[in-house]
Amino acid sequence: MDIDARGPRFGAAVTTVVLAVVMITGNAWLLAWQTLAFACGAAGGVGRSPYGWLYRKAVRPRLGPPTRFEAPQPPRFAQAVGLVFAVTGLIGFVAGPGWLGLAATGAALAAAFLNAVFGYCLGCEMYLLTRRLTARAG
């Protein structure tokens, strides 16, 4: 079943703010929260992430009906990619080196920003490219 395309973009906007605060403060607890949010989105789909829940309960009822839908698999894959970067960033902030935390968090922030501001989901594009390459190889 396809999902409202506005939901993942809302989640990307919240993620952008959270990761920007992490970059400014170096707060590992806040990055741990974002890591959990990515894990929920990767495991259950973006609708089961905390930001998906917030969108569904607080934002979507105030908007008109969705006009654009998308398959749930690419955003779910993007959440898994975000999870990898968040875990790497968390390791860098907690155990060191600090530059690893900044680099991994910065990469996740850049991807979230692209989605939130321009509607370009880098993880989704990676998913589609992977599908095309595996279809050709198979």
Side-chain angles (χ1 to χ4, degrees), residues 107-120:
L109 171 60
F113 179 81
L114 283 173
N115 194 358
V117 175
F118 300 109
Y120 185 80

Side-chain angles (χ1 to χ4, degrees), residues 7-93:
R9 196 161 178 186
F10 170 80
V14 176
T15 298
T16 298
V17 171
V18 169
L19 292 176
V21 172
V22 171
M23 290 291 291
I24 292 166
T25 65
N27 188 321
W29 288 108
L30 190 55
L31 184 55
W33 162 257
Q34 183 58 53
T35 302
L36 176 64
F38 279 139
C40 292
V46 293
R48 300 220 193 272
S49 74
Y51 308 146
W53 178 87
L54 182 62
Y55 174 77
R56 196 171 54 256
K57 296 295 182 183
V59 177
R60 186 172 179 182
R62 290 164 175 73
L63 302 175
T67 58
R68 198 172 136 255
F69 295 90
E70 65 182 321
Q73 295 86 355
R76 189 173 183 175
F77 180 83
Q79 292 288 298
V81 172
L83 176 61
V84 170
F85 279 94
V87 166
T88 304
L90 200 53
I91 290 168
F93 280 121

